[in-house]
Amino acid sequence: MNSSDRRAPRGTALLNDPFLNRGTAFTTAERRALGLEGLLPPQVETLDRQAERVLAHLDAKPTDLERYIYLSALVDRNETLFYKVLMSDPARFVPIVYAPTLGEVCKSFSHLYRRPRGMYISLDMTGRIAEVLRNWPVPDVRFLCVTTGGRILGLGDIGANGMGIPIGKLQLYTACGAVPPHTTLPVQLDIGTTNAALRADPLYLGLRREPPPVAELDAFVEEFVTAVQEVFPACCIHFEDWKGTDAIRYLERYRDRVLCYNDDIQGTASVTLAGLVTALRIKGEQLADQVFLFLGAGSSALGTSDLLVTAMAAEGLTTAEARSRIVMMDVKGLVEPSRADLTEEQRRYAHAAAPTRDLLETIRRVRPSVLIGVSTAGGAFTQPVVELMAEINARPIIFPLSIPRPECTAEQAYGWTDGRALYAAGIQFPQVMRGDAVFRPGQANNFYIFPGLGLAVYAARPRLITDGLVIEAAHALADQVSPSAQARGMLYPPQSQILDVEVTSACRLAEYLFANGMATVPRPDDIRAWIEGMCYSADYGTVGATSRSSNRPA
């Protein structure tokens, strides 16, 4: 359909269309032509002046939760203005529209609900999923972020309350990676919830039932994935915050069949690898010479470990040698062969050792150079734990990645190691002052990876996302940390530069896709100019016509 084939909305219908509405920025001529006279105050404002008003409102809000609610209302009435604000200061707004504020949002999502965004595909739609997906008004969806709400930010199973996650994740595709928002679709697969308190909550919006048996769930997911290929054939499925065993199973099932990506597994692995690459450049050491201890043995730990094994193999180790350098602990203790509760994926990292639940004892035995927390157990890296890591290593690498409560804070890590720790957390901490020294803790957050990866996939249109591409994303990010930044202990580029970082990563990943025969479009002469030409820009286009700022394609 061309824009000329669709009648643009007029009057109040236009003001209620968040994709085309520009509020007080409609010109006098546009107001007369589009039936808006008398419906707006007489002053005509620029987008910048509108953003100024929004920022003043946000400054007056007492909490980030209130700021999230305000921004949610803004995107419902004027999407262009929403992205103008987010893209003006990503370092400020990412923690509001995503972690850590989103954790609070998801706990109360059904209570905060205002109006629908995205799609809810529930078990009672089995047999009709393709039909239901066709209700979405945009035919060319390129990124579909889907969750069951089975494991959200350390909150456990919160069912349909998890919808806030795909909404926020896809907003970062645009705000950080300039992926056009009209190409994205958040989806909640409502399979029920194990959370009895939610099922009893009269305001809960999801199915009030337990999740189905595995066989029924597998059939439901298979129908969903097949329906996406039918209805949105160019779409990349982004799996997000599924229960760990489901996350691993579905990634393995579909990664070689369809264009898909699991951010909890592959995104966490990639951003962790990027931080490790930078930390080891500071130390002057190789990845293959490290010993890794993970607190946590779920999908994030396993996905990161598998990627580390691949990366260490590239440095000359065998798979068995690389796996031998990775040790895991979880709530039941050391991952070792006598445990009968291990999954097949965990058993790959079960090394002969006496059982123990003592993290300090394990550190003394293993003598790790890298300590990674993906346990959701806030505060688990105690002072004795961190001090022992500093006793064993001149520059201990400590990555407490759990969100929203990391295993230790930046201030604790620097204080307990006399400033020697190379530190990154899953959330952003402020800089730490110790005497005359300034420490700038890194944030190993996946938003450093998936927006740039998404922009490259949007542009080059590969059929699959491979481990090689995910590893390349890590190196593309690490290579943007300058030697001067490394000298200040920085492991990631500044968040204030996130858009340029993601575009640069996207160009590098597009080069990789073309070089490896994975792209399905012709190679341009100038990849950077080609990528930048596809980037979304938060500005007002022509009313009723498609523009880069419009969320509704012709």
Side-chain angles (χ1 to χ4, degrees):
M1 179 186 297
N2 295 322
S3 58
S4 60
D5 297 329
R6 186 187 67 237
R7 295 185 63 184
R10 294 172 50 83
T12 55
L14 178 56
L15 296 178
N16 289 325
D17 186 326
F19 315 121
L20 297 177
N21 178 34
R22 60 187 64 180
T24 55
F26 282 113
T27 66
T28 301
E30 288 168 341
R31 297 178 191 202
R32 183 176 297 116
L34 297 168
L36 297 173
E37 287 185 300
L39 302 181
L40 292 165
Q43 187 67 42
V44 175
E45 296 185 307
T46 64
L47 180 57
D48 287 337
R49 179 54 53 85
Q50 290 178 314
E52 181 183 334
R53 180 179 293 107
V54 169
L55 292 171
H57 282 297
L58 290 170
D59 287 340
K61 299 295 180 184
T63 67
D64 278 348
L65 180 59
E66 289 296 323
R67 294 181 185 98
Y68 176 92
I69 293 170
Y70 177 89
L71 287 169
S72 294
L74 176 61
V75 75
D76 285 339
R77 67 177 183 268
N78 187 330
E79 184 183 75
T80 303
L81 180 55
F82 170 80
Y83 282 113
K84 176 71 172 180
V85 171
L86 258 61
M87 297 172 86
S88 71
D89 191 354
R92 175 183 177 185
F93 292 113
V94 165
I96 296 174
V97 300
Y98 196 60
T101 306
L102 203 50
E104 291 300 310
V105 171
C106 287
K107 284 194 290 187
S108 305
F109 189 83
S110 292
H111 291 248
L112 298 173
Y113 182 83
R114 299 294 192 275
R115 59 178 293 172
R117 292 192 70 80
M119 298 194 77
Y120 293 80
I121 307 297
S122 58
L123 277 171
D124 53 15
M125 297 171 185
T126 298
R128 303 184 298 111
I129 295 178
E131 173 189 342
V132 173
L133 287 176
R134 289 192 178 91
N135 289 335
W136 188 247
V138 179
D140 186 21
V141 172
R142 298 291 191 86
F143 296 97
L144 183 155
C145 184
V146 57
T147 188
T148 59
R151 195 216 66 174
I152 300 287
L153 295 175
L155 302 175
D157 183 354
I158 60 172
N161 277 6
M163 181 56 147
I165 294 293
I167 291 171
K169 210 74 165 180
L170 290 172
Q171 287 171 346
L172 297 194
Y173 269 83
T174 300
C176 298
V179 173
H182 70 261
T183 67
T184 68
L185 170 59
V187 173
Q188 172 75 41
L189 276 194
D190 193 347
I191 62 171
T193 177
T194 59
N195 191 320
L198 278 182
R199 297 199 305 269
D201 181 352
L203 293 181
Y204 177 61
L205 291 167
L207 293 178
R208 301 175 189 276
R209 56 158 289 173
E210 289 269 355
V214 170
E216 183 181 346
L217 177 60
D218 285 354
F220 179 64
V221 173
E222 177 67 24
E223 183 187 346
F224 172 75
V225 171
T226 301
V228 170
Q229 309 312 302
E230 177 184 336
V231 180
F232 309 120
C235 184
C236 175
I237 300 175
H238 173 145
F239 293 103
E240 184 69 34
D241 286 331
W242 292 54
K243 186 175 70 175
T245 52
D246 293 341
I248 294 169
R249 184 169 75 257
Y250 294 131
L251 180 61
E252 288 304 309
R253 180 169 300 173
Y254 295 113
R255 65 188 302 166
D256 295 326
R257 284 177 48 188
V258 304
L259 184 64
C260 69
Y261 170 78
N262 186 299
D263 190 50
D264 304 297
I265 297 174
Q266 295 165 292
T268 299
S270 185
V271 77
T272 303
L273 176 59
L276 291 172
V277 168
T278 308
L280 293 173
R281 286 174 179 168
I282 293 171
K283 294 182 69 173
E285 297 176 4
Q286 296 295 307
L287 194 70
D289 296 327
Q290 308 308 306
V291 176
F292 305 87
L293 174 57
F294 285 81
L295 186 63
S299 59
S300 293
L302 292 166
T304 302
S305 296
D306 288 347
L307 200 71
L308 287 173
V309 167
T310 302
M312 285 190 280
E315 293 185 1
L317 296 188
T318 66
T319 297
E321 289 170 339
R323 285 178 180 164
S324 73
R325 307 189 75 82
I326 296 173
V327 179
M328 295 184 185
M329 295 187 72
D330 63 10
V331 68
K332 295 183 179 179
L334 185 66
V335 172
E336 44 80 22
S338 73
R339 285 180 50 176
D341 63 322
L342 300 180
T343 66
E344 178 183 348
E345 293 80 13
Q346 290 170 326
R347 198 162 291 280
R348 292 200 295 261
Y349 296 99
H351 309 303
T356 181
R357 297 191 177 201
D358 189 330
L359 179 57
L360 278 170
E361 180 183 348
T362 301
I363 292 173
R364 291 190 188 99
R365 285 188 199 173
V366 173
R367 299 183 67 80
S369 53
V370 180
L371 181 61
I372 299 175
V374 282
S375 66
T376 71
F381 293 169
T382 62
Q383 183 171 352
V385 165
V386 175
E387 287 179 343
L388 182 55
M389 285 293 295
E391 179 183 323
I392 293 170
N393 303 280
R395 300 296 304 272
I397 299 174
I398 299 175
F399 282 14
L401 303 183
S402 292
I403 299 174
R405 294 185 61 236
E407 286 78 4
C408 69
T409 68
E411 187 172 10
Q412 289 169 337
Y414 294 127
W416 296 337
T417 64
D418 195 27
R420 292 185 284 122
L422 293 165
Y423 177 94
I427 63 174
Q428 183 62 57
F429 285 103
Q431 68 181 25
V432 175
M433 299 288 297
R434 285 181 55 81
D436 295 331
V438 180
F439 299 92
R440 295 173 174 83
Q443 183 180 11
N445 192 296
N446 300 6
F447 68 72
Y448 273 118
I449 295 295
F450 67 81
L453 177 64
L455 183 57
V457 169
Y458 174 76
R461 304 183 73 162
R463 293 189 174 90
L464 299 173
I465 292 176
T466 64
D467 278 348
L469 184 64
V470 174
I471 290 173
E472 186 71 10
H475 286 283
L477 177 60
D479 288 349
Q480 295 183 70
V481 183
S482 67
S484 61
Q486 292 176 34
R488 299 194 300 274
M490 294 178 64
L491 304 184
Y492 296 96
Q495 291 183 20
S496 59
Q497 300 172 11
I498 190 67
L499 183 58
D500 187 64
V501 168
E502 300 288 6
V503 171
T504 298
S505 289
C507 295
R508 170 94 166 253
L509 296 176
E511 289 273 11
Y512 180 92
L513 291 169
F514 284 115
N516 288 274
M518 297 169 63
T520 62
V521 298
R523 182 187 181 106
D525 293 331
D526 186 333
I527 286 182
R528 179 107 194 176
W530 176 67
I531 292 279
E532 289 178 344
M534 296 187 191
C535 287
Y536 169 84
S537 176
D539 50 50
Y540 292 130
T542 302
V543 179
T546 303
S547 74
R548 289 194 303 169
S549 65
S550 173
N551 193 38
R552 177 176 294 170

